[in-house]
Amino acid sequence: MRIERNGPVALLRMENGKANAISASLLERLDGMISQLADARAAVITGQGSAFSAGLDLPALADLDRQTMRGFIHRFSAVVLRIFELPIPLVAAVNGHAVAGGCVLALQADVRIGADRDARIGLNETQLGIGLPVAVVETLRWQVPAPPWRRSRSRGVWSRRAKR
């Protein structure tokens, strides 16, 4: 990851392999870059290549024990909330695929602009019935109008209802 400056605007460029997968090290670098925005008047976050971010780095997370995985999810939630609460305008320049955690990351921005290209964007967790961390749900509630949300009582997870 790197940060570029153009006057009072900071560009945060995610550079973590081909898909910009969200690993523990990417979260630490992103958190550190957020700390460097104190003198910026606005910021833009983008990916590289054909992906904004393909979400969590599942191969790196697959072998984690339950406690370590819980810690990673708490860290992801904390960084997402910190991005959401930035006191300056944040634009997500979604240059390509933004799925799962990558979509969550894009949704934390004040404005999202998508590149004119074929790209998958969405929360595939909702289709799979996988719950989202509380911080993610609450920030999504702020960004998405209330009527599409419903509580799935059978699974205890929040999901976005598709229009029929």
Side-chain angles (χ1 to χ4, degrees), residues 20-43:
N20 298 314
I22 300 170
S23 62
S25 64
L26 183 134
L27 285 177
E28 292 310 313
R29 291 188 315 246
L30 183 56
D31 194 38
M33 288 189 344
I34 293 167
S35 297
Q36 297 177 37
L37 298 178
D39 62 340
R41 296 196 52 209

PDB file of all heavy atoms in Angstrom, residues 20-43:
ATOM      1  N   ASN A  20      -5.774  -7.561  -4.245  1.00  0.00           N
ATOM      2  CA  ASN A  20      -5.820  -6.660  -3.088  1.00  0.00           C
ATOM      3  C   ASN A  20      -6.608  -7.284  -1.937  1.00  0.00           C
ATOM      4  O   ASN A  20      -7.438  -6.629  -1.299  1.00  0.00           O
ATOM      5  CB  ASN A  20      -6.409  -5.303  -3.474  1.00  0.00           C
ATOM      6  CG  ASN A  20      -5.565  -4.608  -4.499  1.00  0.00           C
ATOM      7  OD1 ASN A  20      -4.356  -4.544  -4.373  1.00  0.00           O
ATOM      8  ND2 ASN A  20      -6.199  -4.107  -5.546  1.00  0.00           N
ATOM      9  N   ALA A  21      -6.348  -8.557  -1.696  1.00  0.00           N
ATOM     10  CA  ALA A  21      -7.052  -9.268  -0.627  1.00  0.00           C
ATOM     11  C   ALA A  21      -6.702  -8.662   0.723  1.00  0.00           C
ATOM     12  O   ALA A  21      -5.583  -8.208   0.960  1.00  0.00           O
ATOM     13  CB  ALA A  21      -6.696 -10.753  -0.650  1.00  0.00           C
ATOM     14  N   ILE A  22      -7.680  -8.655   1.612  1.00  0.00           N
ATOM     15  CA  ILE A  22      -7.528  -8.031   2.922  1.00  0.00           C
ATOM     16  C   ILE A  22      -6.940  -9.040   3.905  1.00  0.00           C
ATOM     17  O   ILE A  22      -7.605  -9.970   4.345  1.00  0.00           O
ATOM     18  CB  ILE A  22      -8.889  -7.495   3.423  1.00  0.00           C
ATOM     19  CG1 ILE A  22      -9.424  -6.460   2.427  1.00  0.00           C
ATOM     20  CG2 ILE A  22      -8.749  -6.895   4.817  1.00  0.00           C
ATOM     21  CD1 ILE A  22     -10.853  -6.042   2.676  1.00  0.00           C
ATOM     22  N   SER A  23      -5.675  -8.815   4.212  1.00  0.00           N
ATOM     23  CA  SER A  23      -4.947  -9.657   5.163  1.00  0.00           C
ATOM     24  C   SER A  23      -4.685  -8.835   6.421  1.00  0.00           C
ATOM     25  O   SER A  23      -4.961  -7.630   6.462  1.00  0.00           O
ATOM     26  CB  SER A  23      -3.614 -10.082   4.540  1.00  0.00           C
ATOM     27  OG  SER A  23      -2.824  -8.925   4.273  1.00  0.00           O
ATOM     28  N   ALA A  24      -4.121  -9.467   7.417  1.00  0.00           N
ATOM     29  CA  ALA A  24      -3.770  -8.750   8.648  1.00  0.00           C
ATOM     30  C   ALA A  24      -2.756  -7.645   8.347  1.00  0.00           C
ATOM     31  O   ALA A  24      -2.873  -6.534   8.860  1.00  0.00           O
ATOM     32  CB  ALA A  24      -3.219  -9.722   9.681  1.00  0.00           C
ATOM     33  N   SER A  25      -1.799  -7.923   7.474  1.00  0.00           N
ATOM     34  CA  SER A  25      -0.790  -6.900   7.165  1.00  0.00           C
ATOM     35  C   SER A  25      -1.399  -5.742   6.378  1.00  0.00           C
ATOM     36  O   SER A  25      -1.043  -4.586   6.604  1.00  0.00           O
ATOM     37  CB  SER A  25       0.398  -7.507   6.412  1.00  0.00           C
ATOM     38  OG  SER A  25       0.000  -8.013   5.160  1.00  0.00           O
ATOM     39  N   LEU A  26      -2.344  -6.011   5.479  1.00  0.00           N
ATOM     40  CA  LEU A  26      -3.009  -4.919   4.761  1.00  0.00           C
ATOM     41  C   LEU A  26      -3.789  -4.048   5.734  1.00  0.00           C
ATOM     42  O   LEU A  26      -3.756  -2.821   5.631  1.00  0.00           O
ATOM     43  CB  LEU A  26      -3.931  -5.440   3.660  1.00  0.00           C
ATOM     44  CG  LEU A  26      -4.589  -4.341   2.834  1.00  0.00           C
ATOM     45  CD1 LEU A  26      -4.505  -4.648   1.350  1.00  0.00           C
ATOM     46  CD2 LEU A  26      -6.029  -4.124   3.239  1.00  0.00           C
ATOM     47  N   LEU A  27      -4.482  -4.666   6.692  1.00  0.00           N
ATOM     48  CA  LEU A  27      -5.225  -3.890   7.687  1.00  0.00           C
ATOM     49  C   LEU A  27      -4.296  -2.988   8.488  1.00  0.00           C
ATOM     50  O   LEU A  27      -4.621  -1.823   8.744  1.00  0.00           O
ATOM     51  CB  LEU A  27      -5.989  -4.813   8.643  1.00  0.00           C
ATOM     52  CG  LEU A  27      -7.244  -5.467   8.100  1.00  0.00           C
ATOM     53  CD1 LEU A  27      -7.836  -6.407   9.148  1.00  0.00           C
ATOM     54  CD2 LEU A  27      -8.263  -4.440   7.664  1.00  0.00           C
ATOM     55  N   GLU A  28      -3.129  -3.505   8.870  1.00  0.00           N
ATOM     56  CA  GLU A  28      -2.180  -2.697   9.644  1.00  0.00           C
ATOM     57  C   GLU A  28      -1.661  -1.535   8.811  1.00  0.00           C
ATOM     58  O   GLU A  28      -1.561  -0.408   9.302  1.00  0.00           O
ATOM     59  CB  GLU A  28      -1.024  -3.563  10.155  1.00  0.00           C
ATOM     60  CG  GLU A  28      -1.431  -4.575  11.204  1.00  0.00           C
ATOM     61  CD  GLU A  28      -2.237  -3.979  12.350  1.00  0.00           C
ATOM     62  OE1 GLU A  28      -1.848  -2.929  12.894  1.00  0.00           O
ATOM     63  OE2 GLU A  28      -3.279  -4.559  12.699  1.00  0.00           O
ATOM     64  N   ARG A  29      -1.336  -1.786   7.545  1.00  0.00           N
ATOM     65  CA  ARG A  29      -0.840  -0.715   6.682  1.00  0.00           C
ATOM     66  C   ARG A  29      -1.938   0.314   6.430  1.00  0.00           C
ATOM     67  O   ARG A  29      -1.679   1.514   6.446  1.00  0.00           O
ATOM     68  CB  ARG A  29      -0.314  -1.293   5.367  1.00  0.00           C
ATOM     69  CG  ARG A  29       0.966  -2.105   5.568  1.00  0.00           C
ATOM     70  CD  ARG A  29       1.597  -2.509   4.253  1.00  0.00           C
ATOM     71  NE  ARG A  29       0.649  -3.014   3.288  1.00  0.00           N
ATOM     72  CZ  ARG A  29       0.605  -4.263   2.839  1.00  0.00           C
ATOM     73  NH1 ARG A  29       1.468  -5.148   3.268  1.00  0.00           N
ATOM     74  NH2 ARG A  29      -0.284  -4.634   1.951  1.00  0.00           N
ATOM     75  N   LEU A  30      -3.161  -0.145   6.204  1.00  0.00           N
ATOM     76  CA  LEU A  30      -4.280   0.772   5.974  1.00  0.00           C
ATOM     77  C   LEU A  30      -4.529   1.629   7.204  1.00  0.00           C
ATOM     78  O   LEU A  30      -4.716   2.848   7.105  1.00  0.00           O
ATOM     79  CB  LEU A  30      -5.538  -0.016   5.596  1.00  0.00           C
ATOM     80  CG  LEU A  30      -6.788   0.778   5.260  1.00  0.00           C
ATOM     81  CD1 LEU A  30      -6.529   1.780   4.135  1.00  0.00           C
ATOM     82  CD2 LEU A  30      -7.915  -0.164   4.870  1.00  0.00           C
ATOM     83  N   ASP A  31      -4.508   1.027   8.366  1.00  0.00           N
ATOM     84  CA  ASP A  31      -4.698   1.764   9.612  1.00  0.00           C
ATOM     85  C   ASP A  31      -3.601   2.812   9.784  1.00  0.00           C
ATOM     86  O   ASP A  31      -3.869   3.949  10.182  1.00  0.00           O
ATOM     87  CB  ASP A  31      -4.717   0.797  10.796  1.00  0.00           C
ATOM     88  CG  ASP A  31      -5.249   1.435  12.055  1.00  0.00           C
ATOM     89  OD1 ASP A  31      -6.196   2.240  11.980  1.00  0.00           O
ATOM     90  OD2 ASP A  31      -4.717   1.114  13.134  1.00  0.00           O
ATOM     91  N   GLY A  32      -2.372   2.442   9.458  1.00  0.00           N
ATOM     92  CA  GLY A  32      -1.270   3.389   9.541  1.00  0.00           C
ATOM     93  C   GLY A  32      -1.428   4.545   8.565  1.00  0.00           C
ATOM     94  O   GLY A  32      -1.115   5.702   8.889  1.00  0.00           O
ATOM     95  N   MET A  33      -1.934   4.262   7.376  1.00  0.00           N
ATOM     96  CA  MET A  33      -2.138   5.328   6.388  1.00  0.00           C
ATOM     97  C   MET A  33      -3.258   6.265   6.821  1.00  0.00           C
ATOM     98  O   MET A  33      -3.183   7.469   6.586  1.00  0.00           O
ATOM     99  CB  MET A  33      -2.406   4.736   5.014  1.00  0.00           C
ATOM    100  CG  MET A  33      -1.146   4.125   4.431  1.00  0.00           C
ATOM    101  SD  MET A  33      -1.159   3.586   2.703  1.00  0.00           S
ATOM    102  CE  MET A  33      -2.801   3.500   2.204  1.00  0.00           C
ATOM    103  N   ILE A  34      -4.265   5.738   7.474  1.00  0.00           N
ATOM    104  CA  ILE A  34      -5.350   6.587   7.979  1.00  0.00           C
ATOM    105  C   ILE A  34      -4.780   7.606   8.967  1.00  0.00           C
ATOM    106  O   ILE A  34      -5.193   8.769   8.976  1.00  0.00           O
ATOM    107  CB  ILE A  34      -6.462   5.731   8.628  1.00  0.00           C
ATOM    108  CG1 ILE A  34      -7.166   4.899   7.570  1.00  0.00           C
ATOM    109  CG2 ILE A  34      -7.460   6.604   9.371  1.00  0.00           C
ATOM    110  CD1 ILE A  34      -8.054   3.812   8.134  1.00  0.00           C
ATOM    111  N   SER A  35      -3.816   7.173   9.747  1.00  0.00           N
ATOM    112  CA  SER A  35      -3.185   8.081  10.708  1.00  0.00           C
ATOM    113  C   SER A  35      -2.436   9.217  10.016  1.00  0.00           C
ATOM    114  O   SER A  35      -2.194  10.255  10.615  1.00  0.00           O
ATOM    115  CB  SER A  35      -2.213   7.304  11.612  1.00  0.00           C
ATOM    116  OG  SER A  35      -2.923   6.351  12.359  1.00  0.00           O
ATOM    117  N   GLN A  36      -2.061   9.032   8.764  1.00  0.00           N
ATOM    118  CA  GLN A  36      -1.324  10.051   8.012  1.00  0.00           C
ATOM    119  C   GLN A  36      -2.248  11.063   7.339  1.00  0.00           C
ATOM    120  O   GLN A  36      -1.786  11.934   6.612  1.00  0.00           O
ATOM    121  CB  GLN A  36      -0.445   9.394   6.952  1.00  0.00           C
ATOM    122  CG  GLN A  36       0.631   8.498   7.516  1.00  0.00           C
ATOM    123  CD  GLN A  36       1.418   7.821   6.411  1.00  0.00           C
ATOM    124  OE1 GLN A  36       1.676   8.409   5.368  1.00  0.00           O
ATOM    125  NE2 GLN A  36       1.793   6.578   6.644  1.00  0.00           N
ATOM    126  N   LEU A  37      -3.541  10.974   7.560  1.00  0.00           N
ATOM    127  CA  LEU A  37      -4.499  11.857   6.887  1.00  0.00           C
ATOM    128  C   LEU A  37      -4.859  13.097   7.699  1.00  0.00           C
ATOM    129  O   LEU A  37      -5.734  13.857   7.300  1.00  0.00           O
ATOM    130  CB  LEU A  37      -5.781  11.085   6.557  1.00  0.00           C
ATOM    131  CG  LEU A  37      -5.621   9.912   5.600  1.00  0.00           C
ATOM    132  CD1 LEU A  37      -6.963   9.203   5.408  1.00  0.00           C
ATOM    133  CD2 LEU A  37      -5.051  10.358   4.270  1.00  0.00           C
ATOM    134  N   ALA A  38      -4.201  13.321   8.814  1.00  0.00           N
ATOM    135  CA  ALA A  38      -4.555  14.432   9.698  1.00  0.00           C
ATOM    136  C   ALA A  38      -4.536  15.785   8.992  1.00  0.00           C
ATOM    137  O   ALA A  38      -5.369  16.650   9.285  1.00  0.00           O
ATOM    138  CB  ALA A  38      -3.628  14.459  10.907  1.00  0.00           C
ATOM    139  N   ASP A  39      -3.618  15.975   8.050  1.00  0.00           N
ATOM    140  CA  ASP A  39      -3.524  17.271   7.372  1.00  0.00           C
ATOM    141  C   ASP A  39      -4.208  17.285   5.999  1.00  0.00           C
ATOM    142  O   ASP A  39      -4.164  18.287   5.302  1.00  0.00           O
ATOM    143  CB  ASP A  39      -2.060  17.688   7.229  1.00  0.00           C
ATOM    144  CG  ASP A  39      -1.267  16.716   6.373  1.00  0.00           C
ATOM    145  OD1 ASP A  39      -1.706  15.558   6.211  1.00  0.00           O
ATOM    146  OD2 ASP A  39      -0.203  17.112   5.860  1.00  0.00           O
ATOM    147  N   ALA A  40      -4.846  16.194   5.612  1.00  0.00           N
ATOM    148  CA  ALA A  40      -5.545  16.133   4.327  1.00  0.00           C
ATOM    149  C   ALA A  40      -6.937  16.752   4.450  1.00  0.00           C
ATOM    150  O   ALA A  40      -7.556  16.707   5.513  1.00  0.00           O
ATOM    151  CB  ALA A  40      -5.653  14.692   3.850  1.00  0.00           C
ATOM    152  N   ARG A  41      -7.418  17.317   3.363  1.00  0.00           N
ATOM    153  CA  ARG A  41      -8.772  17.868   3.358  1.00  0.00           C
ATOM    154  C   ARG A  41      -9.768  16.896   2.740  1.00  0.00           C
ATOM    155  O   ARG A  41     -10.971  17.031   2.906  1.00  0.00           O
ATOM    156  CB  ARG A  41      -8.784  19.193   2.605  1.00  0.00           C
ATOM    157  CG  ARG A  41      -7.917  20.203   3.371  1.00  0.00           C
ATOM    158  CD  ARG A  41      -8.113  21.624   3.004  1.00  0.00           C
ATOM    159  NE  ARG A  41      -9.492  22.031   3.047  1.00  0.00           N
ATOM    160  CZ  ARG A  41      -9.984  22.989   2.266  1.00  0.00           C
ATOM    161  NH1 ARG A  41      -9.228  23.624   1.426  1.00  0.00           N
ATOM    162  NH2 ARG A  41     -11.255  23.322   2.353  1.00  0.00           N
ATOM    163  N   ALA A  42      -9.255  15.903   2.014  1.00  0.00           N
ATOM    164  CA  ALA A  42     -10.077  14.862   1.405  1.00  0.00           C
ATOM    165  C   ALA A  42      -9.160  13.694   1.070  1.00  0.00           C
ATOM    166  O   ALA A  42      -7.938  13.837   1.019  1.00  0.00           O
ATOM    167  CB  ALA A  42     -10.769  15.373   0.146  1.00  0.00           C
ATOM    168  N   ALA A  43      -9.764  12.525   0.837  1.00  0.00           N
ATOM    169  CA  ALA A  43      -8.976  11.341   0.488  1.00  0.00           C
ATOM    170  C   ALA A  43      -9.727  10.492  -0.521  1.00  0.00           C
ATOM    171  O   ALA A  43     -10.961  10.533  -0.603  1.00  0.00           O
ATOM    172  CB  ALA A  43      -8.657  10.519   1.738  1.00  0.00           C
TER     173      ALA A  43
END
